């Protein structure tokens, strides 16, 4: 975690490793403090007797609200989104004693009902609220009684097919002959997420022409970039770490012995983007009742790829 924002791992990958801060019934030198997704956490010793008596540390006083979205898309060589599906969820985890009531205000309605006029709000095809969630103002306001240390799903949703799908990246590419035996693959990746966002990692996988024996490459843009080639399955992998929003990266890859007229048709784009979601859903206000002094509140946004296929020709 960096400044309260998810980095490198998605919540579903970390789910099995997340615990509230715990205290064993009997103190033991085996209790180890380690940084976790929700701050400094203690891992209890491995005996069943000790694990059964874990309690929430009431001194933590932290609240996390996560808006997480996954993207499936097919993109043309011109960068046009041919088909796309975006699913999302709003999740809450509270580390406070008692059962305070959490109220959230959103910038848009979580509703499948048509909006009147020339609305620019987010259009949903499916919305499902979690158990015990109170919904008001047409889906703009929700409230729920929290449980210490327990992750709660406020809502799950799917964007409507006719909602304008702005993907976090635009990737374009071309292949040209260098010599009768070699070709050059040019790739350009542009971030559409704006300043203040960051992508912990972005990876583009593409199949090289079958006769390719090796590659030579150079890149421009963010410093931390790598281009690798697997001779066994003829796969080229372009990886960018800590990709700032609003910037772009380029890769120039020489395909040795591919044939001068060789071409690369398509590839798969994998990514995680912190502080940004495709739908534009934002949490505008977070309120706990009764009021809690010294509370640290984190609102975090994360977008990950499920399957994003990009054509290059």
């Amino acid at each position: 975690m960096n400044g309260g924002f998810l980095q490198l791992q998605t919540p579903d990958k970390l789910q099995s490793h997340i615990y509230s801060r715990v205290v064993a019934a009997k103190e033991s030198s085996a209790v180890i403090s380690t940084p976790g997704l929700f701050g400094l956490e203690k891992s209890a010793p491995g005996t069943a007797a000790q694990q059964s008596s874990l309690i929430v540390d009431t001194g933590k006083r932290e609240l996390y609200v996560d808006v997480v979205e996954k993207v499936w898309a097919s993109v043309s060589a011109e960068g046009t989104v041919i088909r796309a599906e975006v699913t999302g969820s709003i999740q809450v985890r509270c580390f406070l004693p008692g059962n305070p009531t959490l109220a959230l205000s959103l910038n848009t309605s979580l509703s499948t009902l048509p909006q009147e006029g020339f609305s620019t709000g987010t259009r949903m095809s499916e919305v499902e609220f979690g158990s015990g969630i109170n919904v008001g103002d047409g889906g703009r306001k929700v409230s729920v009684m929290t449980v210490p240390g327990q992750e709660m799903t406020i809502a799950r949703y799917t964007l409507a097919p006719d909602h304008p799908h702005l993907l976090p990246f635009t990737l374009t590419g071309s292949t040209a002959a260098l010599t009768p035996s070699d070709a050059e693959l040019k790739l350009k990746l542009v971030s559409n997420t704006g300043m203040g966002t960051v992508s912990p990692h972005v990876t583009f996988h593409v199949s090289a022409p079958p006769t390719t024996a090796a590659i030579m490459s150079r890149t421009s843009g963010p410093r931390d970039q790598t281009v690798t080639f697997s001779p066994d399955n003829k796969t080229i992998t372009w990886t960018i770490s800590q990709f700032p929003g609003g910037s772009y990266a380029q890769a120039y890859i020489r395909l040795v012995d591919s044939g001068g007229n060789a071409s690369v048709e398509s590839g798969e784009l994998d990514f995680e983007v912190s502080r940004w979601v495709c739908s534009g859903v934002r949490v505008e206000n977070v309120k706990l009742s009764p009021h809690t002094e010294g509370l640290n509140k984190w609102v975090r946004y994360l977008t990950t790829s499920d399957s994003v296929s990009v054509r290059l020709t």
Side-chain angles (χ1 to χ4, degrees), residues 157-242:
Y157 56 86
T158 301
L159 293 191
D162 61 346
H163 181 82
H165 289 95
L166 175 64
L167 300 185
F169 301 100
T170 300
L171 189 145
T172 55
S174 62
T175 310
L178 289 178
T179 69
S181 62
D182 296 357
E184 182 182 49
L185 172 62
K186 297 180 182 180
L187 299 173
K188 183 176 182 179
L189 185 67
V190 179
S191 170
N192 302 321
T193 60
M195 302 295 291
T197 64
V198 64
S199 302
H201 77 268
V202 184
T203 304
F204 185 61
H205 305 275
V206 64
S207 294
T211 59
T212 304
I215 67 167
M216 293 182 286
S217 66
R218 61 185 179 89
T219 60
S220 64
R223 179 178 302 176
D224 193 358
Q225 298 187 57
T226 60
V227 180
T228 59
F229 175 64
S230 174
D232 294 334
N233 56 20
K234 304 297 182 182
T235 300
I236 299 171
T237 302
W238 179 26
T239 302
I240 310 168
S241 300
Q242 300 303 315

Side-chain angles (χ1 to χ4, degrees), residues 212 266 277 282 292 313:
T212 304
S266 63
V277 287
R282 308 294 292 183
T292 302
T313 58

Side-chain angles (χ1 to χ4, degrees), residues 261-284:
N261 295 323
S263 64
V264 177
E265 294 184 354
S266 63
E268 292 288 326
L269 186 64
D270 296 326
F271 53 78
E272 292 184 5
V273 183
S274 298
R275 311 175 194 176
W276 187 88
V277 287
C278 295
S279 65
V281 170
R282 308 294 292 183
V283 178
E284 294 187 330

